Amino acid sequence: MHICTSVCPYDCPDACGLLVTVEDGRVIRVAGAPDHPFTRGTLCPKMAHYERTVHSPRRLTTPLRRVGKKGSGEFAPLSWDEALKIIADKWRYIIKEYGAEAILPYSYAGTMGIVQHDAYHGLFYKLGASELDRTICAPAKGRGFQDVMGRTLPTAPQEAQKSDFIILWSIHMLATDIHFQHDLKTARQNGAKIYCIDTYKNKTAAWADCFIAVRPGTDGALALGLMHVLARENLTDEAFLAQNVIGWEELRREILPKYTPEKTEELTGVPAETVIELARMYGQAKAPFIRLGSGQSRYRNGAMTSRLITCLPAVVGAWGKQGGGLLTSASASKAYDKSIVRHPEWRQAGRRVVNMCRIGEALTRDDSIRSLYVYSSNPACTAPDQNQVIKGLSRENLFTVVHERFLTDTARYADIVLPATTSLEHDDAYYSYGNYTIQCGFQAIPPVGESRSNWEVACALARAMGIEDPFYRQSAKDLVEKLIATTSVWPEPVDRELLKSGRPTPLTLPADYNTSFATKSGKIEIRNDELTPALPDYLPLAEDKGELAFVNAPDMRILDSSFNERDELTKGQTMLLFIHPEDAARFDVHDGETVTLANERGSADFTAKISTCTGKGQVVSEGVWWQERVKGKHSVNVLTSQRLTDEADGSTFYDVRVDLHKK
């Protein structure tokens, strides 16, 4: 028996440090690493028994070839040599007959390790395949921050310990950033007040001192209402603004007069007196801190909304105050030069680019995509407009390969399924995007069955396709060592020996990191002349058909569609729909009844839960569930849209309206 260090590989901002106990080639226990500077020895319930995922009886252990109808899940085993030959032969035929752009890779963040996440990029660049614009999460949030702050490093989460007023804005912390509560508990012990702003009262909201419900998609108007009150009541830091900010006077003169507390209430549903109270609390705080989640960015106005919220710390001079600032996503990824794995110089000019949020449209518009290679993602479940995605995946003339650990909803539509390793069966380098920590995770156990890592399969496919570049003769560990060597790009020294050891490695931040503004002007740019409009303003959502707004939020038991394989996590009700009592009375709905939500894209069945956690005119569900976990024919993304955000072409998962019917 021995203990290995490792990292949580999932798409979560925390990137927990792990202690993995191994006996006879099996993982028997997973615990938190106490020396991790942010996760501090604790794990979420999902990772506390990661060994149940690693050694799940549902793991794929051999390559499979489809023998039944697409979607039926009927497969027969075959060897790796046979599988690779089938793929290579099919790709050569497609390239000859239709051109290399008829091949499309599809992936996201099923693993956050750099080597495995980026393993296939170079291969598809070399082939000249179509490229994927990977925007399904929250690029609009990052763009909104960048529009104001440029490449300025966001505030470290531990800074919140010294804050006296903290806003959790559109982040279900207990589901998606659980370790931040350590910092909030310290702040609370020191007297800080914690407010939560969200579209419904989830468990994080109940944890805060005060909850403020905002109408879906109107967070930007709330930010403007707060700035209106801050300016009106002289709660702004005029000295900071004069020295460090461009555009404040124009915003105050041209935009803010429209957003009185009364107008803000009309737009957002937040009572005028609450707008005033929140502005006063924020403006009078010595060091206010905002932890900004991603929910507010998943609307058509997502980038503008994030831009407006990002203006708030500048207005009160929170930057540079110990404990103050704003954290969107930390920039720990900048510690590595990821081009070592990605090889962007191999990209072939003029290749077709497909936005992953519109994969349904891309697969059904015409037959120009003839092969889809899916890894580290589950689009049949997680992509918007599920009916269109399934229609595309059902095409008999679409040759689909899925590299996966489990027979997911997407894998059921594959022609070839390849078994993938988990993070404990391969080497990789990791970073957090919610704190400034990096770490390496090295192979702890042999691959389960015949599973192979993304990198191993990328190398095998490169050879099968006649690509002899020496890059593909390296091991994953070789690439990890090269990534470690590139950490010199970080502005402060990185403890490379600690990183090589596999232990959590904190990134030292420059002393002036939150007062040195990395924009073209060197100042915070409330007015950005490269944008239209140059001054930020609220963008209202266009009215879609449907009586009710619908938001699908995170479920604490799973992460996107990951962990659906674990029965002990998924037991209990799924596709639960929170309905306000007044709406329940209007539709004559009672607790426990099956109801259907429908719009022009499709319909899905839910179990009604009457609750005041949601507001009138709005219904809420939690979780992205595999088909086997839901009672009807479809899961939640049958309702969501392929439309994109105002900037950065991100997803609009929360910008949905529906009608409700009783079964």
Side-chain angles (χ1 to χ4, degrees):
M1 183 188 300
H2 64 283
I3 296 177
C4 308
T5 58
S6 193
V7 192
C8 173
Y10 288 94
D11 188 7
C12 167
D14 295 5
C16 298
L18 307 178
L19 296 179
V20 180
T21 303
V22 176
E23 184 175 26
D24 297 329
R26 288 181 63 88
V27 180
I28 62 171
R29 183 171 181 267
V30 177
D35 60 342
H36 193 288
F38 180 70
T39 62
R40 293 161 277 214
T42 60
L43 296 177
C44 72
K46 300 180 281 291
M47 285 302 292
H49 286 288
Y50 184 40
E51 74 277 2
R52 295 176 183 171
T53 289
V54 174
H55 297 296
S56 168
R58 301 185 65 164
R59 281 286 299 274
L60 297 171
T61 58
T62 183
L64 302 171
R65 183 174 189 176
R66 178 170 64 91
V67 295
K69 182 180 178 182
K70 286 197 172 190
S72 68
E74 297 176 31
F75 296 93
L78 72 166
S79 70
W80 269 101
D81 286 345
E82 290 171 317
L84 293 168
K85 185 177 187 306
I86 290 170
I87 297 168
D89 287 348
K90 190 69 172 180
W91 280 358
R92 276 191 285 266
Y93 170 78
I94 289 172
I95 291 169
K96 179 182 177 182
E97 295 295 321
Y98 305 103
E101 286 183 287
I103 301 171
L104 175 69
Y106 189 101
S107 72
Y108 200 61
T111 176
M112 292 296 289
I114 296 170
V115 176
Q116 309 303 337
H117 181 281
D118 296 351
Y120 291 102
H121 282 52
L123 170 64
F124 288 107
Y125 291 156
K126 282 279 192 182
L127 292 177
S130 289
E131 296 183 17
L132 188 73
D133 193 9
R134 294 173 171 85
T135 63
I136 204 164
C137 187
K141 178 179 75 167
R143 181 64 61 83
F145 180 84
Q146 180 183 322
D147 286 345
V148 179
M149 304 299 297
R151 296 178 61 83
T152 304
L153 295 176
T155 311
Q158 294 92 332
E159 196 72 23
Q161 296 178 21
K162 305 167 194 142
S163 174
D164 57 338
F165 184 68
I166 299 165
I167 300 177
L168 300 171
W169 199 319
S170 203
I171 182 170
H172 189 350
M173 176 187 68
L174 297 183
T176 62
D177 191 20
I178 192 171
H179 297 90
F180 188 49
Q181 66 180 316
H182 293 304
D183 303 292
L184 297 190
K185 286 176 180 177
T186 299
R188 181 173 274 158
Q189 289 167 2
N190 294 334
K193 292 294 182 183
I194 301 167
Y195 277 46
C196 178
I197 300 171
D198 215 320
T199 53
Y200 79 111
K201 194 170 186 178
N202 52 40
K203 291 185 178 180
T204 295
W207 189 90
D209 296 305
C210 179
F211 170 65
I212 296 172
V214 63
R215 190 172 291 137
T218 66
D219 300 72
L222 178 57
L224 285 163
L226 296 177
M227 286 187 274
H228 175 102
V229 176
L230 291 169
R232 186 178 72 184
E233 299 196 1
N234 298 315
L235 295 172
T236 57
D237 188 332
E238 293 300 318
F240 180 90
L241 287 162
Q243 183 176 351
N244 297 290
V245 179
I246 293 173
W248 165 244
E249 288 300 328
E250 295 99 316
L251 186 77
R252 176 162 56 184
R253 181 177 62 251
E254 299 174 24
I255 305 297
L256 296 187
K258 298 184 290 184
Y259 296 97
T260 63
E262 294 73 24
K263 181 63 175 178
T264 302
E265 176 178 358
E266 177 187 328
L267 293 170
T268 67
V270 179
E273 58 270 23
T274 302
V275 176
I276 295 169
E277 174 198 342
L278 178 59
R280 287 173 178 169
M281 292 285 290
Y282 187 72
Q284 292 169 1
K286 294 179 181 178
F289 185 103
I290 296 174
R291 178 62 172 101
L292 183 61
S294 300
Q296 86 295 331
S297 73
R298 296 189 176 118
Y299 299 87
R300 277 168 283 191
N301 59 10
M304 179 61 82
T305 295
S306 302
R307 182 182 174 191
L308 286 163
I309 296 170
T310 301
C311 291
L312 280 164
V315 174
V316 298
W319 300 107
K321 293 181 178 178
Q322 194 173 46
L326 181 144
L327 172 59
T328 51
S329 295
S331 300
S333 64
K334 295 179 181 177
Y336 302 102
D337 180 0
K338 292 187 283 188
S339 68
I340 283 175
V341 183
R342 291 185 175 180
H343 277 287
E345 74 278 8
W346 290 352
R347 296 175 72 177
Q348 299 183 29
R351 298 291 93 179
R352 170 174 51 187
V353 177
V354 175
N355 186 291
M356 69 184 307
C357 303
R358 289 180 167 168
I359 186 63
E361 176 187 304
L363 294 179
T364 57
R365 180 179 54 239
D366 54 42
D367 292 346
S368 61
I369 296 173
R370 292 291 177 137
S371 180
L372 185 70
Y373 191 95
V374 181
Y375 60 101
S376 301
S377 191
N378 182 16
C381 186
T382 61
D385 203 352
Q386 187 178 70
N387 273 333
Q388 289 299 302
V389 177
I390 297 299
K391 181 180 178 182
L393 290 173
S394 300
R395 281 174 38 207
E396 284 296 332
N397 63 354
L398 178 71
F399 176 67
T400 301
V401 182
V402 175
H403 188 197
E404 249 295 355
R405 301 166 304 156
F406 302 99
L407 196 64
T408 62
D409 291 355
T410 304
R412 290 179 175 276
Y413 288 87
D415 295 284
I416 299 290
V417 180
L418 305 174
T421 49
T422 68
S423 62
L424 301 185
E425 300 156 56
H426 56 238
D427 301 320
D428 218 328
Y430 298 85
Y431 59 88
S432 165
Y433 62 88
N435 61 88
Y436 290 96
T437 310
I438 59 176
Q439 189 174 353
C440 294
F442 299 106
Q443 183 176 349
I445 61 171
V448 171
E450 297 179 33
S451 60
R452 296 186 185 181
S453 71
N454 289 356
W455 175 247
E456 290 175 297
V457 179
C459 292
L461 284 171
R463 290 192 295 270
M465 294 300 292
I467 299 171
E468 298 296 335
D469 195 286
F471 174 67
Y472 291 108
R473 293 197 288 270
Q474 301 176 93
S475 68
K477 197 164 189 177
D478 292 334
L479 293 175
V480 169
E481 290 174 356
K482 290 183 176 181
L483 286 166
I484 292 171
T486 69
T487 56
S488 59
V489 299
W490 189 253
E492 297 292 314
V494 174
D495 189 339
R496 294 186 196 169
E497 293 306 311
L498 186 63
L499 188 57
K500 289 177 185 177
S501 75
R503 293 167 60 195
T505 304
L507 295 173
T508 303
L509 293 166
D512 63 347
Y513 85 99
N514 55 1
T515 55
S516 178
F517 305 118
T519 61
K520 285 188 176 181
S521 65
K523 296 185 177 184
I524 296 171
E525 296 176 344
I526 287 179
R527 188 191 76 240
N528 187 330
D529 292 329
E530 294 186 358
L531 301 175
T532 302
L535 284 175
D537 197 357
Y538 172 59
L539 294 178
L541 298 179
E543 275 296 321
D544 286 344
K545 295 178 181 178
E547 290 189 79
L548 300 167
F550 171 62
V551 172
N552 183 58
D555 189 292
M556 293 169 61
R557 294 171 287 175
I558 59 175
L559 180 63
D560 298 320
S561 74
S562 295
F563 297 103
N564 264 278
E565 75 278 356
R566 298 257 295 275
D567 290 340
E568 88 280 6
L569 290 175
T570 57
K571 65 184 177 182
Q573 288 182 313
T574 65
M575 299 282 280
L576 198 65
L577 188 72
F578 298 109
I579 307 172
H580 190 273
E582 292 189 26
D583 289 324
R586 181 159 63 102
F587 292 103
D588 190 28
V589 171
H590 302 89
D591 260 339
E593 288 187 328
T594 298
V595 296
T596 300
L597 295 185
N599 57 23
E600 65 271 22
R601 290 175 289 277
S603 63
D605 293 339
F606 297 80
T607 301
K609 176 66 176 177
I610 300 170
S611 174
T612 56
C613 76
T614 186
K616 291 182 287 185
Q618 170 187 296
V619 288
V620 176
S621 71
E622 295 178 329
V624 180
W625 303 99
W626 287 2
Q627 180 59 48
E628 67 183 74
R629 303 292 183 192
V630 306
K631 62 171 61 177
K633 294 182 178 179
H634 301 101
S635 52
V636 68
N637 277 316
V638 74
L639 300 166
T640 55
S641 169
Q642 297 182 65
R643 96 172 39 100
L644 304 177
T645 52
D646 50 334
E647 287 188 89
D649 292 337
S651 62
T652 57
F653 281 121
Y654 297 173
D655 192 352
V656 180
R657 295 196 70 84
V658 294
D659 292 314
L660 185 149
H661 309 284
K662 291 183 66 171
K663 289 292 283 187

